[in-house]
Amino acid sequence: MSLDSKLLEILACPEDKGPLFYFHSDAFLYNPRLHRKYLVRDGIPVMLVEESVAVDAAEHTELERRIVAESIHPTFV
């Protein structure tokens, strides 16, 4: 299930208020600055810091690669 484009335009990390990258096929939003994923459950982004998932250095590197390779744009600029 895809997130609405209007929602994506305004979604920000609840901790640092910066933009996120939406990985549609994996159902999560990613904050590369904090190395944190926010899961999307049943089409609803779970934007709670305490429920976010920490990403280790290896996964961060892979996600950064995918952002470039798949042309994933930030939620806002």
Side-chain angles (χ1 to χ4, degrees), residues 3-42:
L3 293 180
D4 182 83
S5 62
K6 294 290 184 193
L7 176 61
L8 284 172
E9 290 175 8
I10 62 169
L11 275 176
C13 174
E15 186 168 348
D16 74 1
K17 312 302 185 240
L20 301 164
F21 292 87
Y22 179 42
F23 287 78
H24 174 269
S25 61
D26 300 304
F28 67 82
L29 293 135
Y30 183 58
N31 179 337
R33 298 167 308 282
L34 300 177
H35 297 215
R36 186 170 290 150
K37 293 194 292 191
Y38 294 92
L39 303 180
V40 176
R41 294 187 187 126
D42 298 321

Side-chain angles (χ1 to χ4, degrees), residues 43-74:
I44 301 168
V46 181
M47 303 305 294
L48 301 169
V49 174
E50 57 272 7
E51 291 196 29
S52 65
V53 177
V55 170
D56 65 23
E59 185 176 7
H60 169 75
T61 300
E62 175 59 17
L63 292 174
E64 288 277 293
R65 184 199 65 75
R66 286 184 59 197
I67 287 169
V68 173
E70 298 173 25
S71 298
I72 300 173
H73 301 287

